[in-house]
Amino acid sequence: MRNYFFRKFLFLGALLLSGFMQAQMISGTVSDVNGPLPGANVLVRGTTNGTTTDFDGKFTLSEVPSDAVLHISYVGYVTQEVSVAGKSVINVVLAQSADELDEVVVIGYGTKKKSLVTGSISSIDESQIESSSTQRIEQVLQGKTAGVTVVSSSGAPGSGAKVRIRGTGSNGNADPLYIVDGMKVSTIDNIAPSDIANMEVLKDAASAAIYGTQGANGVVIITTKRGKKGQSVISYNSQFGIQSVRTDMNLMNASQFVQYMNEAGQNQVVDNGINTDWIDETFQDAFVQRHDLSFSGATEKTSYYLSGSLLDQEGIVGKENSGYKRYTLRANIVSELKDWLEIGANITYANTNQSPITEDDSYRGVVNNVLLIDPLTPVIYDGALPDRAAEGVANGTAMVTKNGRVYGYPTYSTGEVINPVGYANYVFRGEGIDTDSFLTSVYAKIKLMEGLSFTTRFGYERANMIDNRWTPIYVVGAEASNTSVSLAHDIDRNSRWLWENFATYTKEFNDHSLTAMVGYSAEKIKNPYYSLKGGSVERSIDEFAYFDYTARANDVIGGAIYEKNMTSIFGRLSYDYMGKYMVEGSLRYDESSVFPKSDKGDLFPAVSVGWVLSKEDFWKQDAKIDYLKLRASWGQNGSDANLEGNGDLEFWQTVASDGGYVVPVIYEGVGGYNVGDLANPKLVWEKSEQFDIGFDLRAFNGKFNFSADYYNKETKDLLITDGNLIVPGSVGRTLGPINAGTIENKGFEFEAGYKDTTEGGFTYGINFNLSTLDNETTDVSVNAALNGATIPGGEPVTRFEEGHPVWYFYGYKTNGIDSQTGAPIIVDTDGNGTITNNDKTEIGSPHPDLLYGASINLGYKNFDFSLNLQGTEGNDIFAAYHQPSRPLTNKPVEYFNGRWTQPGDANAKYPGASQINGYYDTDLMIDDGSYMRIKQIQLGYTLPTSIVEKINLKKLRVYISLDDYFTFTKYNGLDPEAGSYEDNSQGVDRGFYPIPGKALFGLSVDF
Amino acid sequence: MKKIIFTVITSLLIFTSCSDDFVENPPTGTLDTEYVFSTEENVEKAVLGLYDLMQYNYAKDWHSAYFVKLLPGDDANAAGGNAGDQAQLQDIDDYANVSISNTSITSNWDLFYRVIALANVIVDNVEGSSLSNKAKVLAEAKFMRAWCYFELTTMWGDVPLRLHNPDVVSPEAFALAKSPRTEIYTQVESDLTEAITGLPDKSAVSENFRVCKGTAQALMGKVLVFQEKYSQAIPYLAAVIANPAHDLEPDPANVWTIGSEFGIESLFELGYISTEGYDWGSFKWGGRVESNAHIILMGTRDFFDVAPVGLLNGWGFNLPTKKLIDAFDAMGDTERKAATLMTEAELIAGGGAVKEPAENIWDYEGAIRIKYTTRASDTSPEGTVRELNYTTNWRLLRYAEVLLLAAEAYNKDGQDGQALIELNKVHERAGLAPLSGLTGDALFNAIVNEKFLELAHEGQRFWDLVRWGRAATELAGTGYASKNDLFPIPVTEIELNDALTNADQNPGY
């Protein structure tokens, strides 16, 4: 009661005072660059007189003294103070806050202020994505943040990339878990980068532990855009460009090839006057265009974001034959339906169409054949056809252009090697891989009482994929022919639903702040698939490439289903005292259908702590360092990727899967049984345990920031899908997935940035990140090394072995070339006096020691400039595209220039021409794969507001960009970013589609 | 209140939808062990799986056991596209650089043990059962096990003798030391004894591809001859010879053609069919296919125009040696020679051609192979992908070999008269005049020579030379060394089998 009177008295006093000071009515609008800001706080400094802006960003305040100062604030914006100075209308434009500590980061099942984060989380926001000219989300991550490796599986349009967070922690599928708007997704193919508001990468175990069995390889959380209140925006982005191959690789030319082959004793090889540069001929300039259109806005209670996008990218090999098209539609709606109920829905439909050509194949890849075919073969015949081609035309087995001209048959190369231009343009037919995907998540958030809310969220994902291809008749040689039209369709119908329910309770009392979250979820994956094969149609044209018109009798159909179910219970408790001391703990219990009956589930704990030193009393207020936080975390995660389930049961089947094909057990037309894999009831989750310690620092009034982390991540009971790798042949049985051993990844991560604006209005920012990576297999469950990738001839060249990097390169070490014989000198590593298979050893590692990225952003007046680069140091590449069975094949020119030619030749790097064939499993095939690539150089111009407003626009920016244009490397292959789909083939170059350089012109308009 | 109701309903829904068996997904398309061994009919299907694996091992893409066994012999060259074509096969043919990681040798080793492991499961599950076909099933499974152990010990010497499969997944359970060859032979004989008892006579087998009593007797005879237990071998071989269900195919031209498949001369044969009608899209390289894909590997390469003589081209492997051509000529053998090979002159006379100079054709010594060749008539009809649908069966054991084994046993046992009788059956079937007056070593040499020609390109020659102690002389100058008497044990076996170390590797590797 006393209090009441006191306040009333104060109020009266203020009223009196303001009257005395000529109090007046003030109105105005608060906005940001995009438009009005509803809900901004406007307060007369030093008083309780304040209000918030309405839906149109307008406010009115009465009784404001003429010399008062208005304090205007809004979350995420820099607070401004404006002197009234007698004015009655005050319009304020707020700038977005540069203070990242106030930013909110998305964590699993919630959000958190960046200043309170105790784990290692990197954020990539809209502005970094918007200016990026990339076509896929994974590429946005490349080089942007420490500890994240993005390896392209291929430069082919539409192909994915492998994202590795803190090294290769797993085998098989070491991809991170992707969460899009709360929904676990199996692919991010169908998300247009322009729809993304921000991405968070959860790197440490404690942050990812809330995702339990699926968090071991890190988590990438993607949040798509929402409409903003008071800002009805129509936004259109468009991009056009030309892609081209940007390689420094040179193969031997015709005269070099002839000389090399003659020296090798292949005297039938003679110069025929033809000199084809197959790299130039096969890789052509190709077009790319992208269009994004979005409508967004919000009313008082409801926000919406609607968008559509189109991407059309031709391939630099075979143009549309290796092209990619993506169409997406999205609707994001959030509504505060009641004061206690918020509902939201994110709905996406996407259609993608990809036409892959064969690559990453040492025998039959188009790119492989570019590297192997002799330069004495013409691309297309001019004039009279040689007998072989004439015969091919007569028999209808020649590869011909659309105009009926004949692609050159290899003059000398034999076997699987064929004309790659013909291969790319003639052989691949059909619609390609056409995928319709639908992704939706809907949620309801109920405020049960102050501080307590309950969220139920249901996500559903469905992808219907039809891979429709056919192969025409062609006969180039015995091993390179298709003597009847063959049709192949694969149909996959993948679906997943995920239902999550969680309650969050937040309580603040005195200086303590507490957030507790508990929840449970269930999910089901159901992927039926079908395959159809048939052939022999009347005519070798698209119009006959349907199963109605095949010979029918030999059509083969197949299909089965993959299912996986999981339930989880999870919880997290976060506490902080004065924002100074933070502690967080989480627990998750998962049960999954893919594990043995006896051991369906497991518990994943995590704990992390943080201490903001700069908030301590002893911290000098005038210190150059204005923020310093120490962090430490520990946690366990799991992985069940790639498991089929029921590995604990012994069973029989009417089919066998030898050689990777499911084939009925039939002998002389009679059906039989095959005994399945050995039962493995001891199969357990792959468990990764990670310790992380680091600090975040900001100095010079927030202009400089620096973070450092050390982590040590141990993956135990590593899952390997092919258990046969541990079974000696004499056991005579096959084995499914196994727990194969332990991998350790450790390293340091540094991120530094500096940004400022000079008085002349010049803004600049520099960011740099660096990670070290030390990868080692510390234990293998059997007393042996496991073999991985093989090269033609069957020799294994990658291995999984204790004390070595994961899937290191394995082969013979050489010590120069014998100056007398021209043969490489193989090192007798076991010292037994003879060279045997046991002398093979570690000859390289595909894992870099260092990864780095940097960006420079400059802005002056209406111009902006950015440069992003990214690189690796210390990784090797194994050239596995050579084919020892086919000696009449080409090689990089270095093999010619560096070869031994005659006795006494002491400085040869490569063996004599007649010797090379036996040494494809030696370290001569290892090259330094370090590279530095300028991912993007972009120059933009934003039209001045005065001009833009005249043409009724809000914003107009144009830019030109060179993407992936400049690469610095010592690697003599096509592209140092030689990726692979298989983890055990990392860095094994069998002929990859190189990443094209792109010269782009872009335009973005806001209405 | 509304919100409470909403929350409660949601919670209830999810709990009810998640019953205990939510995280159980029964496997699809699987049969449990109990089901498989519950009826006579099902057990027969498990036994059929043995044949299917044998069919796979002997024609698997580039690693067929048929070809691997044949390569070190002096009857055939690896050939192929060039000296580097399928280096692992060239290495075996040339005796040099036979690596402990040779993929073809490894494939053979693994697949012989696959058959053995399947036989072990069948034996272990059927032995205690009361199925009416128990005796026959056990006999058939044990025959297959015996066959594979015999092949293993012939090619690798001392090998791990595994008769029961591990029931847990662990290096300890997988570890098994090598057993001496004598112990392998003992087990093979024991299995064959049971097989002879349990298997029906050839006249009574349910399907023509199944092994019969005669097959087991013939193999027992062969195993005993390999151990130089000649007198013990004779009764088994004699029993086959005396059985009217077994005999020689009268015309030498028909012995290896599809017309005589599973015929009177056949004792153990692996069948291949074209009914799957593979094309380049549906064929499964390295998988269990029904046709004999190994035939295209061994067809003449496009250096040869063979269409006029009724053949199709292939990838050029497995060409006859000059030594073999000369041996036919020296014997004056024309009919059997014509069924085995075709000289360049004969090819040209038949309208064919050799399009490259002979020296440019790797491993070509003047003739192409006719036995098991790419006959246009042996595959699917014209208009289909004929390269992939050869139906040629491998004759793994036939009556002529039994006669020659018997001749050898009689000769070594001092019964030269009987030996000559058996030898002449084979000799005369080839259209040659009977041999006479041969005894002792001269007779033995005649048997050796006869076998060289009769079983050329059938994978017997090298292993015979080794056991006769004749490899060093017959293979002089080819690169052969005594270490080649055995294949190297695959490095994967030594590394993964904890009971083996590098010291267990065969000598010289």
Side-chain angles (χ1 to χ4, degrees), chain B residues 45-69:
Chain B
K45 289 186 174 178
V47 170
L48 195 110
L50 292 167
Y51 287 91
D52 196 49
L53 270 173
M54 289 287 282
Q55 179 198 36
Y56 180 45
N57 187 20
Y58 281 85
K60 182 173 182 253
D61 52 20
W62 292 278
H63 310 305
S64 99
Y66 159 80
F67 196 37
V68 168
K69 257 194 102 182

mmCIF file of all heavy atoms in Angstrom, chain B residues 45-69:
data_model
loop_
_atom_site.group_PDB
_atom_site.id
_atom_site.type_symbol
_atom_site.label_atom_id
_atom_site.label_comp_id
_atom_site.label_asym_id
_atom_site.label_seq_id
_atom_site.Cartn_x
_atom_site.Cartn_y
_atom_site.Cartn_z
ATOM 1 N N LYS B 45 15.652 -77.791 -51.051
ATOM 2 C CA LYS B 45 15.956 -76.456 -51.595
ATOM 3 C C LYS B 45 17.265 -75.920 -51.028
ATOM 4 O O LYS B 45 17.998 -75.202 -51.706
ATOM 5 C CB LYS B 45 14.813 -75.489 -51.301
ATOM 6 C CG LYS B 45 13.573 -75.793 -52.111
ATOM 7 C CD LYS B 45 12.530 -74.727 -51.898
ATOM 8 C CE LYS B 45 11.348 -74.949 -52.814
ATOM 9 N NZ LYS B 45 10.296 -73.945 -52.585
ATOM 10 N N ALA B 46 17.535 -76.270 -49.774
ATOM 11 C CA ALA B 46 18.813 -75.864 -49.189
ATOM 12 C C ALA B 46 19.959 -76.558 -49.927
ATOM 13 O O ALA B 46 21.002 -75.950 -50.209
ATOM 14 C CB ALA B 46 18.846 -76.185 -47.706
ATOM 15 N N VAL B 47 19.748 -77.852 -50.251
ATOM 16 C CA VAL B 47 20.772 -78.605 -50.987
ATOM 17 C C VAL B 47 20.979 -77.985 -52.368
ATOM 18 O O VAL B 47 22.106 -77.875 -52.856
ATOM 19 C CB VAL B 47 20.369 -80.096 -51.094
ATOM 20 C CG1 VAL B 47 21.293 -80.830 -52.054
ATOM 21 C CG2 VAL B 47 20.389 -80.747 -49.716
ATOM 22 N N LEU B 48 19.888 -77.526 -52.970
ATOM 23 C CA LEU B 48 20.020 -76.903 -54.277
ATOM 24 C C LEU B 48 20.921 -75.665 -54.216
ATOM 25 O O LEU B 48 21.636 -75.340 -55.170
ATOM 26 C CB LEU B 48 18.647 -76.522 -54.839
ATOM 27 C CG LEU B 48 18.793 -76.236 -56.329
ATOM 28 C CD1 LEU B 48 18.134 -77.295 -57.164
ATOM 29 C CD2 LEU B 48 18.324 -74.855 -56.661
ATOM 30 N N GLY B 49 20.895 -75.004 -53.045
ATOM 31 C CA GLY B 49 21.772 -73.851 -52.845
ATOM 32 C C GLY B 49 23.241 -74.213 -53.028
ATOM 33 O O GLY B 49 24.050 -73.372 -53.453
ATOM 34 N N LEU B 50 23.597 -75.487 -52.710
ATOM 35 C CA LEU B 50 24.984 -75.941 -52.898
ATOM 36 C C LEU B 50 25.350 -75.937 -54.371
ATOM 37 O O LEU B 50 26.423 -75.474 -54.769
ATOM 38 C CB LEU B 50 25.155 -77.353 -52.341
ATOM 39 C CG LEU B 50 25.049 -77.518 -50.818
ATOM 40 C CD1 LEU B 50 24.915 -79.001 -50.458
ATOM 41 C CD2 LEU B 50 26.276 -76.918 -50.144
ATOM 42 N N TYR B 51 24.437 -76.470 -55.184
ATOM 43 C CA TYR B 51 24.688 -76.486 -56.631
ATOM 44 C C TYR B 51 24.816 -75.068 -57.162
ATOM 45 O O TYR B 51 25.646 -74.773 -58.021
ATOM 46 C CB TYR B 51 23.553 -77.211 -57.360
ATOM 47 C CG TYR B 51 23.559 -78.708 -57.164
ATOM 48 C CD1 TYR B 51 22.861 -79.304 -56.134
ATOM 49 C CD2 TYR B 51 24.264 -79.536 -58.052
ATOM 50 C CE1 TYR B 51 22.865 -80.675 -55.965
ATOM 51 C CE2 TYR B 51 24.278 -80.901 -57.887
ATOM 52 C CZ TYR B 51 23.577 -81.475 -56.842
ATOM 53 O OH TYR B 51 23.595 -82.827 -56.684
ATOM 54 N N ASP B 52 23.958 -74.184 -56.636
ATOM 55 C CA ASP B 52 23.953 -72.812 -57.122
ATOM 56 C C ASP B 52 25.293 -72.133 -56.823
ATOM 57 O O ASP B 52 25.830 -71.396 -57.650
ATOM 58 C CB ASP B 52 22.805 -72.041 -56.460
ATOM 59 C CG ASP B 52 22.499 -70.740 -57.185
ATOM 60 O OD1 ASP B 52 22.359 -70.771 -58.417
ATOM 61 O OD2 ASP B 52 22.419 -69.696 -56.515
ATOM 62 N N LEU B 53 25.836 -72.408 -55.642
ATOM 63 C CA LEU B 53 27.139 -71.824 -55.289
ATOM 64 C C LEU B 53 28.274 -72.405 -56.130
ATOM 65 O O LEU B 53 29.210 -71.700 -56.509
ATOM 66 C CB LEU B 53 27.446 -72.080 -53.808
ATOM 67 C CG LEU B 53 26.975 -71.021 -52.805
ATOM 68 C CD1 LEU B 53 27.198 -71.523 -51.379
ATOM 69 C CD2 LEU B 53 27.706 -69.699 -53.013
ATOM 70 N N MET B 54 28.178 -73.711 -56.409
ATOM 71 C CA MET B 54 29.192 -74.346 -57.261
ATOM 72 C C MET B 54 29.149 -73.716 -58.653
ATOM 73 O O MET B 54 30.184 -73.377 -59.242
ATOM 74 C CB MET B 54 28.925 -75.854 -57.368
ATOM 75 C CG MET B 54 29.209 -76.625 -56.087
ATOM 76 S SD MET B 54 30.982 -76.783 -55.763
ATOM 77 C CE MET B 54 31.400 -78.097 -56.888
ATOM 78 N N GLN B 55 27.934 -73.556 -59.153
ATOM 79 C CA GLN B 55 27.741 -72.938 -60.473
ATOM 80 C C GLN B 55 28.363 -71.542 -60.501
ATOM 81 O O GLN B 55 28.995 -71.140 -61.477
ATOM 82 C CB GLN B 55 26.224 -72.847 -60.725
ATOM 83 C CG GLN B 55 25.825 -72.211 -62.030
ATOM 84 C CD GLN B 55 24.372 -71.769 -62.019
ATOM 85 O OE1 GLN B 55 23.844 -71.313 -61.004
ATOM 86 N NE2 GLN B 55 23.708 -71.938 -63.163
ATOM 87 N N TYR B 56 28.202 -70.846 -59.383
ATOM 88 C CA TYR B 56 28.728 -69.483 -59.253
ATOM 89 C C TYR B 56 30.258 -69.501 -59.253
ATOM 90 O O TYR B 56 30.918 -68.786 -60.016
ATOM 91 C CB TYR B 56 28.177 -68.915 -57.950
ATOM 92 C CG TYR B 56 28.585 -67.505 -57.586
ATOM 93 C CD1 TYR B 56 28.581 -66.478 -58.528
ATOM 94 C CD2 TYR B 56 28.931 -67.186 -56.271
ATOM 95 C CE1 TYR B 56 28.926 -65.186 -58.166
ATOM 96 C CE2 TYR B 56 29.261 -65.898 -55.901
ATOM 97 C CZ TYR B 56 29.263 -64.897 -56.855
ATOM 98 O OH TYR B 56 29.601 -63.624 -56.499
ATOM 99 N N ASN B 57 30.842 -70.337 -58.422
ATOM 100 C CA ASN B 57 32.295 -70.373 -58.267
ATOM 101 C C ASN B 57 33.000 -70.740 -59.576
ATOM 102 O O ASN B 57 34.050 -70.198 -59.889
ATOM 103 C CB ASN B 57 32.665 -71.384 -57.179
ATOM 104 C CG ASN B 57 34.155 -71.358 -56.836
ATOM 105 O OD1 ASN B 57 34.844 -70.378 -57.107
ATOM 106 N ND2 ASN B 57 34.640 -72.440 -56.256
ATOM 107 N N TYR B 58 32.402 -71.642 -60.342
ATOM 108 C CA TYR B 58 33.103 -72.129 -61.536
ATOM 109 C C TYR B 58 32.890 -71.247 -62.768
ATOM 110 O O TYR B 58 33.457 -71.526 -63.821
ATOM 111 C CB TYR B 58 32.727 -73.588 -61.825
ATOM 112 C CG TYR B 58 33.483 -74.556 -60.929
ATOM 113 C CD1 TYR B 58 33.021 -74.869 -59.663
ATOM 114 C CD2 TYR B 58 34.696 -75.108 -61.340
ATOM 115 C CE1 TYR B 58 33.730 -75.728 -58.825
ATOM 116 C CE2 TYR B 58 35.415 -75.962 -60.517
ATOM 117 C CZ TYR B 58 34.929 -76.276 -59.266
ATOM 118 O OH TYR B 58 35.640 -77.104 -58.453
ATOM 119 N N ALA B 59 32.078 -70.172 -62.629
ATOM 120 C CA ALA B 59 31.908 -69.283 -63.794
ATOM 121 C C ALA B 59 31.854 -67.826 -63.394
ATOM 122 O O ALA B 59 31.407 -66.981 -64.154
ATOM 123 C CB ALA B 59 30.644 -69.655 -64.556
ATOM 124 N N LYS B 60 32.341 -67.512 -62.200
ATOM 125 C CA LYS B 60 32.206 -66.133 -61.721
ATOM 126 C C LYS B 60 33.069 -65.177 -62.551
ATOM 127 O O LYS B 60 34.268 -65.360 -62.686
ATOM 128 C CB LYS B 60 32.633 -66.071 -60.257
ATOM 129 C CG LYS B 60 32.478 -64.697 -59.653
ATOM 130 C CD LYS B 60 32.759 -64.720 -58.161
ATOM 131 C CE LYS B 60 32.548 -63.353 -57.566
ATOM 132 N NZ LYS B 60 33.781 -62.687 -57.225
ATOM 133 N N ASP B 61 32.500 -64.162 -63.047
ATOM 134 C CA ASP B 61 33.102 -63.139 -63.925
ATOM 135 C C ASP B 61 34.539 -63.457 -64.362
ATOM 136 O O ASP B 61 34.746 -64.250 -65.249
ATOM 137 C CB ASP B 61 32.956 -61.726 -63.331
ATOM 138 C CG ASP B 61 33.452 -61.600 -61.888
ATOM 139 O OD1 ASP B 61 34.234 -62.446 -61.462
ATOM 140 O OD2 ASP B 61 33.052 -60.637 -61.209
ATOM 141 N N TRP B 62 35.534 -62.821 -63.747
ATOM 142 C CA TRP B 62 36.904 -63.051 -64.188
ATOM 143 C C TRP B 62 37.636 -64.048 -63.290
ATOM 144 O O TRP B 62 38.833 -64.147 -63.331
ATOM 145 C CB TRP B 62 37.677 -61.728 -64.226
ATOM 146 C CG TRP B 62 37.167 -60.833 -65.294
ATOM 147 C CD1 TRP B 62 37.495 -60.896 -66.623
ATOM 148 C CD2 TRP B 62 36.242 -59.775 -65.166
ATOM 149 N NE1 TRP B 62 36.810 -59.933 -67.320
ATOM 150 C CE2 TRP B 62 36.037 -59.233 -66.455
ATOM 151 C CE3 TRP B 62 35.528 -59.231 -64.075
ATOM 152 C CZ2 TRP B 62 35.168 -58.167 -66.681
ATOM 153 C CZ3 TRP B 62 34.671 -58.179 -64.307
ATOM 154 C CH2 TRP B 62 34.493 -57.653 -65.604
ATOM 155 N N HIS B 63 36.874 -64.719 -62.426
ATOM 156 C CA HIS B 63 37.550 -65.537 -61.421
ATOM 157 C C HIS B 63 37.074 -66.982 -61.408
ATOM 158 O O HIS B 63 37.076 -67.613 -60.360
ATOM 159 C CB HIS B 63 37.333 -64.926 -60.032
ATOM 160 C CG HIS B 63 37.632 -63.460 -59.964
ATOM 161 N ND1 HIS B 63 38.840 -62.933 -60.357
ATOM 162 C CD2 HIS B 63 36.889 -62.410 -59.557
ATOM 163 C CE1 HIS B 63 38.809 -61.606 -60.192
ATOM 164 N NE2 HIS B 63 37.641 -61.276 -59.716
ATOM 165 N N SER B 64 36.648 -67.510 -62.527
ATOM 166 C CA SER B 64 36.069 -68.846 -62.483
ATOM 167 C C SER B 64 37.098 -69.875 -62.027
ATOM 168 O O SER B 64 38.257 -69.861 -62.448
ATOM 169 C CB SER B 64 35.522 -69.222 -63.861
ATOM 170 O OG SER B 64 36.435 -70.021 -64.550
ATOM 171 N N ALA B 65 36.657 -70.749 -61.154
ATOM 172 C CA ALA B 65 37.548 -71.799 -60.656
ATOM 173 C C ALA B 65 37.972 -72.702 -61.808
ATOM 174 O O ALA B 65 39.074 -73.258 -61.812
ATOM 175 C CB ALA B 65 36.845 -72.598 -59.567
ATOM 176 N N TYR B 66 37.092 -72.850 -62.789
ATOM 177 C CA TYR B 66 37.443 -73.639 -63.973
ATOM 178 C C TYR B 66 38.727 -73.090 -64.600
ATOM 179 O O TYR B 66 39.671 -73.825 -64.876
ATOM 180 C CB TYR B 66 36.281 -73.603 -64.990
ATOM 181 C CG TYR B 66 36.714 -73.929 -66.394
ATOM 182 C CD1 TYR B 66 36.904 -75.264 -66.779
ATOM 183 C CD2 TYR B 66 36.987 -72.928 -67.320
ATOM 184 C CE1 TYR B 66 37.348 -75.573 -68.055
ATOM 185 C CE2 TYR B 66 37.428 -73.235 -68.594
ATOM 186 C CZ TYR B 66 37.614 -74.554 -68.961
ATOM 187 O OH TYR B 66 38.070 -74.862 -70.216
ATOM 188 N N PHE B 67 38.761 -71.779 -64.811
ATOM 189 C CA PHE B 67 39.875 -71.178 -65.537
ATOM 190 C C PHE B 67 41.133 -71.085 -64.664
ATOM 191 O O PHE B 67 42.251 -71.302 -65.124
ATOM 192 C CB PHE B 67 39.458 -69.796 -66.050
ATOM 193 C CG PHE B 67 40.347 -69.235 -67.120
ATOM 194 C CD1 PHE B 67 40.900 -70.064 -68.098
ATOM 195 C CD2 PHE B 67 40.611 -67.875 -67.185
ATOM 196 C CE1 PHE B 67 41.709 -69.547 -69.101
ATOM 197 C CE2 PHE B 67 41.417 -67.348 -68.183
ATOM 198 C CZ PHE B 67 41.971 -68.188 -69.137
ATOM 199 N N VAL B 68 40.924 -70.753 -63.401
ATOM 200 C CA VAL B 68 42.068 -70.604 -62.502
ATOM 201 C C VAL B 68 42.827 -71.925 -62.375
ATOM 202 O O VAL B 68 44.057 -71.968 -62.395
ATOM 203 C CB VAL B 68 41.593 -70.092 -61.122
ATOM 204 C CG1 VAL B 68 42.693 -70.200 -60.082
ATOM 205 C CG2 VAL B 68 41.124 -68.633 -61.245
ATOM 206 N N LYS B 69 42.063 -73.038 -62.298
ATOM 207 C CA LYS B 69 42.702 -74.356 -62.181
ATOM 208 C C LYS B 69 43.454 -74.735 -63.452
ATOM 209 O O LYS B 69 44.443 -75.445 -63.427
ATOM 210 C CB LYS B 69 41.614 -75.421 -61.950
ATOM 211 C CG LYS B 69 41.505 -75.890 -60.528
ATOM 212 C CD LYS B 69 40.680 -77.161 -60.448
ATOM 213 C CE LYS B 69 41.555 -78.388 -60.277
ATOM 214 N NZ LYS B 69 40.766 -79.630 -60.241
#
